[in-house]
């Protein structure tokens, strides 16, 4: 899905868009009216137009869903000011409640445990900031039951390698009916949290989730 440019890779956007256009949304395949609740969870929502608005434009019966979004970049908060239908959580999707150190308010990502030792690259001059974090597995457990129809988009800048395994271990992954997941890896994202990750890491994550019955798609 990427084209080599020197030692870097850039997205082959026409190929990616062609592949994404073939995805079938679960809401077009099942009787949504039978679900007691229909909920859209946007983990890493960025601004209103980035993905919440996309969901409302493209997902079957999207206007019947409860809308909940998580974002840590304060600059995006004003874009939700006129959208009271969205329950906005200004906190990081994570594996524990508390506080979390993140870097780069433009593309916020969790600092790796060995941050002081990682090889410095062009992004390391970005500022570090602290945000509240939520144990998203516990949140799912408290707020949803299996009869609810829950659609989730996850774009959390490399934190998926920590969050997804906890959802699987806790069994709360099965409270999500459909997952649109952006998986990050080093050659394209240059995030310190994914230095050891390749496209094969993402393929294995998607395949592993599907083998457990999770209806997961690539998000980009």
């Amino acid at each position: 899905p990427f084209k080599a440019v020197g030692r870097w890779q850039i997205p082959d956007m026409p190929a990616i868009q062609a592949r994404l256009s073939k995805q079938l949304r679960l809401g077009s395949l099942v009787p949504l009216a039978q679900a007691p609740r229909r909920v859209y969870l946007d983990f890493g929502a960025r601004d209103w137009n980035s993905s919440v608005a996309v969901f409302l434009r493209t997902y079957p019966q999207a206007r019947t869903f409860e809308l909940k979004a998580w974002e840590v970049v304060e600059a995006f908060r004003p874009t939700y000011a006129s959208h009271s239908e969205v329950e906005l959580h200004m906190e990081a999707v994570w594996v524990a409640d508390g506080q979390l150190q993140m870097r780069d308010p433009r593309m916020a990502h969790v600092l790796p445990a060995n941050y002081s030792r990682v090889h410095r690259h062009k992004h390391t001059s970005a500022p570090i900031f602290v945000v509240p974090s939520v144990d998203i597995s516990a949140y799912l457990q408290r707020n949803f039951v299996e009869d609810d129809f829950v659609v989730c988009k996850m774009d959390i800048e490399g934190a998926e390698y920590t969050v997804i395994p906890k959802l699987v271990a806790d069994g709360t992954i099965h409270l999500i009916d459909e997952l649109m997941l952006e998986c990050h890896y080093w050659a394209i994202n240059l995030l310190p949290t994914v230095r050891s990750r390749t496209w094969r890491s993402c393929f294995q994550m998607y395949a592993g989730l599907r083998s457990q019955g999770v209806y997961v798609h690539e998000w980009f």
Side-chain angles (χ1 to χ4, degrees):
F2 301 98
K3 299 182 292 187
V5 177
R7 65 191 184 95
W8 308 116
Q9 296 185 38
I10 61 172
D12 184 347
M13 289 308 298
I16 290 172
Q17 292 299 329
R19 187 170 65 252
L20 296 184
S21 70
K22 298 177 182 177
Q23 294 178 354
L24 285 176
R25 294 290 176 248
L26 189 58
S28 66
L29 303 174
V30 300
L32 291 178
Q34 294 183 8
R37 293 174 69 194
R38 294 177 289 282
V39 186
Y40 173 63
L41 307 176
D42 197 321
F43 299 154
R46 297 185 65 79
D47 63 90
W48 159 258
N49 286 308
S50 180
S51 50
V52 178
V54 173
F55 174 81
L56 289 173
R57 287 198 308 269
T58 62
Y59 202 87
Q61 300 182 47
R63 296 287 175 178
T64 69
F65 280 67
E66 299 172 39
L67 305 173
K68 303 177 189 294
W70 280 257
E71 181 51 55
V72 298
V73 178
E74 281 292 335
F76 295 136
R77 187 197 290 266
T79 69
Y80 292 90
S82 60
H83 297 285
S84 59
E85 71 275 23
V86 181
E87 181 182 300
L88 181 62
H89 299 257
M90 297 301 295
E91 55 190 4
V93 170
W94 192 233
V95 296
D97 296 331
Q99 291 188 317
L100 200 59
Q101 277 197 326
M102 305 192 81
R103 193 180 67 190
D104 192 351
R106 297 165 303 169
M107 193 65 68
H109 55 272
V110 178
L111 291 179
N114 63 339
Y115 171 72
S116 63
R117 302 190 300 277
V118 297
H119 177 68
R120 296 183 65 82
H121 58 83
K122 67 177 183 179
H123 292 304
T124 55
S125 61
I128 294 172
F129 58 108
V130 177
V131 299
S133 66
V134 60
D135 181 339
I136 206 64
S137 179
Y139 173 88
L140 291 170
Q141 187 69 56
R142 288 193 306 269
N143 289 278
F144 303 107
V145 298
E146 289 194 4
D147 286 344
D148 295 331
F149 189 82
V150 179
V151 177
C152 174
K153 186 225 81 181
M154 182 180 292
D155 179 8
I156 52 177
E157 308 302 334
E160 63 271 15
Y161 291 104
T162 303
V163 171
I164 290 287
K166 188 171 191 296
L167 294 178
V168 171
D170 291 350
T172 49
I173 190 71
H174 296 295
L175 293 171
I176 298 173
D177 293 274
E178 182 169 14
L179 175 61
M180 294 170 277
L181 170 64
E182 180 166 346
C183 182
H184 299 79
Y185 68 99
W186 177 251
I188 185 66
N189 298 110
L190 300 180
L191 298 173
T193 45
V194 297
R195 284 187 62 85
S196 64
R197 306 297 183 175
T198 65
W199 170 243
R200 181 175 295 276
S201 306
C202 293
F203 180 83
Q204 290 172 341
M205 180 178 290
Y206 290 123
L209 288 169
R210 288 172 180 165
S211 72
Q212 297 189 51
V214 180
Y215 196 68
V216 59
H217 314 286
E218 175 187 12
W219 174 271
F220 190 86

